Amino acid sequence: AGIAEMLMQSHGGAIHLLPALPDAWGEGSVSGLHARGGYVVDITWKDGRLSSATILPQRSGTLILRSKTPIKQGKLLRHYDSLDIYEYEIEVTANKKLPINI
């Protein structure tokens, strides 16, 4: 569970991708992580940064997504300058995979 929390967190109504990726894990991927709110998440990273992700929502609605890497989907809600974290609002459809574009 601790390793999964390093790769994805889902607290406070948001999914945060790669919140605590160790420097030693410069490249890798993980699939099938379950996030609160009914989401299944696959993540790939390279050079210590998010390179791709896919999110499968179990229900339609609004997803709040956080990442240190800017993405091309959704509406940018805010950028936390001190943490260099971007926060997006994305509309999702139940059982329709959402590929995250970097």
Side-chain angles (χ1 to χ4, degrees):
I3 291 173
E5 286 286 315
M6 292 167 43
L7 300 174
M8 183 204 63
Q9 294 179 0
S10 58
H11 303 287
I15 295 176
H16 189 162
L17 303 178
L18 303 178
L21 185 67
D23 291 338
W25 296 1
E27 190 172 317
S29 66
V30 63
S31 60
L33 293 177
H34 288 260
R36 287 178 180 86
Y39 300 93
V40 179
V41 181
D42 301 336
I43 307 168
T44 302
W45 63 92
K46 187 173 181 180
D47 299 324
R49 297 189 56 86
L50 180 69
S51 59
S52 70
T54 302
I55 299 174
L56 178 62
Q58 311 254 308
R59 62 176 192 230
S60 297
T62 302
L63 165 66
I64 303 298
L65 185 68
R66 295 183 183 133
S67 171
K68 292 181 180 181
T69 304
I71 65 170
K72 296 180 181 176
Q73 279 96 343
K75 173 185 173 188
L76 178 64
L77 294 177
R78 63 188 59 88
H79 178 239
Y80 297 96
D81 292 323
S82 61
L83 301 172
D84 198 26
I85 295 173
Y86 298 87
E87 183 175 85
Y88 297 88
E89 179 181 77
I90 304 170
E91 294 303 316
V92 296
T93 303
N95 302 310
K96 182 178 178 188
K97 286 186 177 183
L98 172 68
I100 301 301
N101 298 317
I102 308 304

